[in-house]
Amino acid sequence: MKLVVVSAGLSVPSSTRLLADRLSAAVDRGTPVDTEVIELRDLAVEIAHHLTSGFPGRALAAAQDAVAGADGLIVVTPVFSASYSGLFKSFFDVLDKDALVGKPVLIAATGGTARHSLVLDHALRPLFSHLRAVVVPTGVYAASEDWGAEGLPDRIERAAEELAALMPKARRREEEPVVPFAQHLAALGARPGEQAPVR
């Protein structure tokens, strides 16, 4: 199965990337996956060009294809002005509108203070619900004081387990053939234009 991690951290080293790596490692422990990490910092110029020209560069197109082909996503953003970063939002703005439909997504964020932890529910969860993704129940927020403290490892493990449980279901949905409606009617003993018998 393919897991894609989208990290919007800007610095090197980055607490956003550190959280992304811990989340992906926790998923991999429960369900062996092929993991690809997309660093949005490296795509910033191509994202800006896509927004103004409508055409992705080679690296951005590869990232878009990776996200569209993933069985599950981990998305991590630093908190800027009490919300996700502009770079993070811009990347999802340039994805195909159907790229995330039915795709399991684990949302996570990092910030300097625990006061911004609600960003998961007032910004990230609505964004991915709008994109028709399946957002796992547990989001992970890591403030500066959370690193090395109790609680964060448990949240990481719980969120990873929820994502791992949804990924095989997403793969099965993709592999199931679409059955034409007329075939469903025929199985019920009805012809197109007739009502199916009541049973």
Side-chain angles (χ1 to χ4, degrees):
M1 282 189 293
K2 180 70 176 288
L3 173 67
V4 171
V5 181
V6 178
S7 172
L10 297 179
S11 59
V12 180
S14 162
S15 61
T16 301
R17 176 60 190 268
L18 177 60
L19 180 57
D21 288 344
R22 291 198 179 176
L23 288 164
S24 62
V27 172
D28 195 36
R29 281 194 296 274
T31 303
V33 291
D34 175 22
T35 302
E36 179 176 347
V37 178
I38 297 171
E39 285 277 11
L40 297 187
R41 176 184 63 244
D42 300 333
L43 298 173
V45 172
E46 289 196 23
I47 291 171
H49 285 167
H50 189 306
L51 287 169
T52 56
S53 71
F55 298 99
R58 184 175 299 169
L60 178 57
Q64 291 172 323
D65 290 344
V67 168
D71 296 303
L73 288 180
I74 295 173
V75 298
V76 192
T77 180
V79 174
F80 290 162
S81 302
S83 188
Y84 37 66
S85 73
L87 179 61
F88 181 86
K89 177 63 163 56
S90 296
F91 175 72
F92 290 100
D93 284 344
V94 299
L95 283 182
D96 182 89
K97 64 182 179 63
D98 296 324
L100 300 185
V101 174
K103 200 174 298 295
V105 177
L106 191 169
I107 56 174
T110 57
T113 172
R115 290 195 302 271
H116 292 305
S117 62
L118 288 177
V119 69
L120 295 173
D121 291 316
H122 79 70
L124 287 165
R125 199 173 297 277
L127 170 64
F128 289 97
S129 294
H130 172 74
L131 295 172
R132 294 175 288 163
V134 178
V135 184
V136 304
T138 301
V140 180
Y141 178 83
S144 298
E145 63 266 25
D146 288 328
W147 297 103
E150 291 183 11
L152 180 59
D154 291 339
R155 294 197 305 275
I156 288 173
E157 290 296 330
R158 184 166 66 246
E161 287 172 5
E162 291 168 356
L163 179 64
L166 288 173
M167 287 173 64
K169 295 176 184 174
R171 170 61 63 91
R172 285 198 299 272
R173 280 197 302 271
E174 289 175 4
E175 292 173 349
E176 288 174 359
V178 176
V179 179
F181 183 66
Q183 192 172 332
H184 283 293
L185 285 176
L188 295 172
R191 292 190 297 274
E194 293 181 346
Q195 277 192 323
V198 177
R199 295 181 179 176

